[in-house]
Amino acid sequence: MPFQLTISEGREAGKEFVFDQDSVLIGRSTDCDVALFDPGVSRKHCRIFLDGETYSVEDQGSANGTLVNGSPVTTQVLEDSDKLTLGPVTFVFVMMTDEPSTGEEEIPAGAQEGANSTRIVSVDAVKRQRNKGVALAPEGADEEELEELRQGATRHNLRALRPVSGTQSGSRPAVAPQAPPRASGPKAAIERAAPSAPAPRRPPSSTNVPVRARATGPQPAAGGLSAADRARIRRESPGVIASAKLFWADATPAIRSGILGGGAAMVLGIFGLLYWLVLSDGETQHKGEEPAMLGSQPIRDSFGLGPGVTWERADMKVFSWEYTAATKAVVILHYQAQGISKDEVVVSVNGVDVGKVPPDTLASQDRPLELMIPAPNLKKGEPNRIIFDNTKNPPGEEPWVIWNVWVERALLPDLLPEELAQKATESFKRGRKYFDTPDIGARNRYEAWKAFRESWLMLEAHPEPKPDLYFDAQERMKTAQQELDRTCAKLLLEVEGYYNQGNYKAASATLDHVKEYFPEYDQPCATRAENKRSEYGL
């Protein structure tokens, strides 16, 4: 029962793979049936397998996850026209009722060999393979670069991807020609592509030969200068300068272009060397003492392993925090993380595991994370040891990064359970009112999130068992946070668009508008807007 995968989004859109086997493995490794040379794809990302009369997809523990029609899945039955997303590439899954075409077509009766028609010859002639293929290999990459891509780590904004040239609206993006992969056994991929039309020949242009005006006196030498001009140059300039002037006068246009190009390259090289020696020296300098104490203000430095990390910590990062509270309080650890796979990084407090860092999503760069630290795990009046421990990968191999780490201490009211439930209900109702009218006021989404959070924290002081409102408030708070994240992304994208157009006044006004949506710094968007303002100088 064959099926077809077609790249619908990303580089090489339109490329097709046809399979007639019961199991197809997709990933970055060449051991896979479809090898995708992109750092956003895990070595073994997902598997499509025959499950009875249908095909299903199963995620193989990939770092970025497998999406079906935009939703992350672990195992999912596939239907016709389902969209399967792996990192930067999206496939369209289609069942095929007939055997895939071999690429051979018979010439219709009466057609001649030299007629103006296009046909595909035998499979051997076009070197098509079946049930195995590659995609997303960078243009011009050699085997060493491909091997680096196979071994590279999966992450989102930690490595810049190669730029893809734009295309006109409605047309497919241009795909660089690639050599077909070697067949390994009888199974090989069928990659369908329309035959490229030959490049049109440029019509010969008429050659206009300039006619030289007749001149009396000495005729010019072969280089274009007369004997009198050469004598004048030697007389007016020192020996080396005169020789240089005569060389330039005698040089052909090709030689002059080469000299100018070489000079420009030399100047750029000098500037690059100066930047590396002088300007970039500040980036490589030690940035003072590494932060190790947590407080109520986020630590902007990043920790972990990979490009752009402020402080390299291949295995773990240890923080200290002193807990003091006169009354009962809830302690919440805030941070952001990226380059994390499932169960890779564990958070421990005073030697006890209290939670795991969630794996990456498409919004990991902007996603704020929270972890409530149980009160029994904290020591009052003395330093507490908080550790982000990378337990899955050997030290120094896979990139990972955490940043914006800080600790919130929320005091809990000393009330009776009935009073706690009543106040929590009032906050919850207020949150629903703001959430149901998000566009009436700019800060309504923020007020909804804050009210749901107050309701949740209020019931945190409620004795066990917790009322159902405790869990409802938690879910509502997460939904409100997602709305805030979407609003922040939309506003900052608008700022970037105005800035790129040179409309700095509109960009600054939009940054001012962000304050209306995010009035407090307990949301990361307020800090991100200030960083944008500083970056753009607005």
Side-chain angles (χ1 to χ4, degrees):
M1 183 185 300
F3 66 90
Q4 175 178 294
L5 295 177
T6 304
I7 298 179
S8 63
E9 297 179 17
R11 287 193 294 123
E12 303 190 41
K15 195 168 188 177
E16 299 175 350
F17 304 91
V18 177
F19 299 93
D20 57 3
Q21 59 216 51
D22 293 345
S23 179
V24 173
L25 186 62
I26 305 175
R28 199 172 65 245
S29 172
T30 51
D31 297 336
C32 299
D33 299 296
V34 179
L36 303 177
F37 291 107
D38 191 279
V41 179
S42 297
R43 294 185 182 90
K44 293 183 179 180
H45 201 107
C46 69
R47 180 175 69 100
I48 298 177
F49 62 96
L50 186 61
D51 186 9
E53 298 295 327
T54 60
Y55 279 97
S56 297
V57 62
E58 179 184 39
D59 186 75
Q60 300 294 297
S62 63
N64 293 332
T66 301
L67 307 182
V68 175
N69 298 325
S71 300
V73 299
T74 302
T75 302
Q76 175 73 34
V77 176
L78 293 175
E79 299 180 356
D80 266 356
S81 302
D82 275 353
K83 291 186 176 181
L84 182 64
T85 301
L86 291 73
V89 66
T90 296
F91 292 100
V92 175
F93 173 87
V94 177
M95 293 291 297
M96 302 180 66
T97 55
D98 300 324
E99 285 296 321
S101 173
T102 62
E104 298 183 351
E105 297 180 5
E106 296 183 357
I107 302 177
Q112 297 180 358
E113 287 286 342
N116 293 328
S117 60
T118 303
R119 69 187 184 90
I120 300 176
V121 295
S122 67
V123 175
D124 295 335
V126 297
K127 298 182 179 179
R128 286 186 174 176
Q129 298 178 333
R130 183 174 180 177
N131 295 334
K132 193 172 183 67
V134 299
L136 308 185
E139 182 178 357
D142 55 21
E143 184 60 31
E144 183 178 350
E145 292 173 326
L146 294 180
E147 181 63 24
E148 183 180 352
L149 285 175
R150 297 185 196 111
Q151 300 300 328
T154 302
R155 61 191 183 278
H156 288 272
N157 287 324
L158 299 182
R159 176 182 296 173
L161 302 178
R162 295 179 180 263
V164 182
S165 59
T167 58
Q168 296 180 355
S169 177
S171 63
R172 287 184 176 178
V175 180
Q178 301 179 22
R182 292 185 178 179
S184 57
K187 296 183 177 181
I190 299 177
E191 302 178 2
R192 300 182 179 175
S196 59
R201 295 184 177 179
R202 180 180 299 176
S205 58
S206 60
T207 305
N208 298 323
V209 181
V211 179
R212 295 192 179 188
R214 297 174 181 249
T216 59
Q219 295 296 318
L225 290 177
S226 65
D229 291 334
R230 291 174 178 274
R232 178 178 55 79
I233 291 175
R234 291 193 180 97
R235 184 172 59 253
E236 294 176 353
S237 304
V240 177
I241 298 178
S243 299
K245 289 183 177 180
L246 292 174
F247 172 79
W248 185 259
D250 293 337
T252 63
I255 295 177
R256 293 181 181 180
S257 300
I259 294 174
L260 292 175
M266 184 178 297
V267 171
L268 291 175
I270 292 174
F271 275 107
L273 181 62
L274 289 175
Y275 176 83
W276 182 73
L277 292 177
V278 181
L279 301 180
S280 65
D281 185 60
E283 298 179 1
T284 57
Q285 290 180 0
H286 198 272
K287 297 180 175 60
E289 187 176 354
E290 178 180 353
M293 291 293 297
L294 291 180
S296 59
Q297 295 298 321
I299 298 177
R300 306 300 181 193
D301 292 358
S302 57
F303 309 87
L305 182 67
V309 172
T310 311
W311 303 96
E312 285 197 358
R313 288 291 172 265
D315 189 27
M316 66 173 61
K317 171 57 186 173
V318 181
F319 293 102
S320 295
W321 177 67
E322 188 168 349
Y323 175 49
T324 56
T327 62
K328 189 176 181 181
V330 171
V331 177
I332 302 174
L333 177 65
H334 298 263
Y335 63 96
Q336 290 182 258
Q338 193 173 4
I340 311 295
S341 60
K342 185 179 180 182
D343 300 334
E344 180 178 357
V345 178
V346 175
V347 181
S348 64
V349 176
N350 297 324
V352 179
D353 293 346
V354 296
K356 299 177 181 178
V357 178
D360 280 7
T361 65
L362 296 178
S364 294
Q365 179 68 23
D366 308 322
R367 178 183 57 169
L369 298 172
E370 294 181 349
L371 177 63
M372 181 176 295
I373 301 178
N377 296 107
L378 294 170
K379 302 176 182 178
K380 282 190 177 183
E382 57 181 289
N384 291 265
R385 187 180 173 92
I386 302 176
I387 301 177
F388 289 85
D389 187 7
N390 190 318
T391 61
K392 182 176 181 181
N393 299 314
E397 288 194 2
E398 297 278 352
W400 66 291
V401 58
I402 60 169
W403 71 100
N404 279 351
V405 186
W406 62 286
V407 173
E408 176 188 5
R409 185 184 58 187
L411 300 179
L412 299 179
D414 188 11
L415 299 174
L416 295 174
E418 296 79 8
E419 296 174 323
L420 291 172
Q422 180 182 355
K423 289 185 175 295
T425 302
E426 293 173 358
S427 297
F428 187 84
K429 289 180 179 178
R430 186 170 65 255
R432 289 190 58 180
K433 178 182 177 181
Y434 283 119
F435 188 81
D436 293 338
T437 57
D439 299 321
I440 293 180
R443 59 184 293 165
N444 277 19
R445 293 177 177 85
Y446 171 80
E447 293 294 344
W449 170 81
K450 191 171 183 179
F452 290 139
R453 182 180 175 84
E454 288 177 358
S455 177
W456 164 57
L457 290 175
M458 190 73 64
L459 294 176
E460 191 64 40
H462 193 284
E464 296 290 345
K466 303 288 186 184
D468 292 340
L469 186 61
Y470 173 80
F471 305 100
D472 292 341
Q474 281 184 319
E475 290 301 320
R476 288 280 189 165
M477 184 179 65
K478 292 178 182 178
T479 305
Q481 182 65 60
Q482 292 172 357
E483 288 293 325
L484 288 173
D485 293 342
R486 280 192 285 267
T487 301
C488 179
K490 181 180 178 181
L491 289 171
L492 294 185
L493 184 62
E494 185 177 335
V495 171
E496 186 175 348
Y498 283 136
Y499 181 82
N500 292 335
Q501 296 168 12
N503 193 347
Y504 306 124
K505 184 177 180 180
S508 180
T510 305
L511 285 174
D512 292 337
H513 196 45
V514 172
K515 296 180 181 179
E516 300 177 18
Y517 285 90
F518 301 90
E520 303 293 338
Y521 285 90
D522 50 4
Q523 280 289 323
C525 193
T527 303
R528 292 179 60 198
E530 291 301 321
N531 292 340
K532 279 285 185 186
R533 188 184 297 277
S534 176
E535 177 185 353
Y536 291 158
L538 301 175

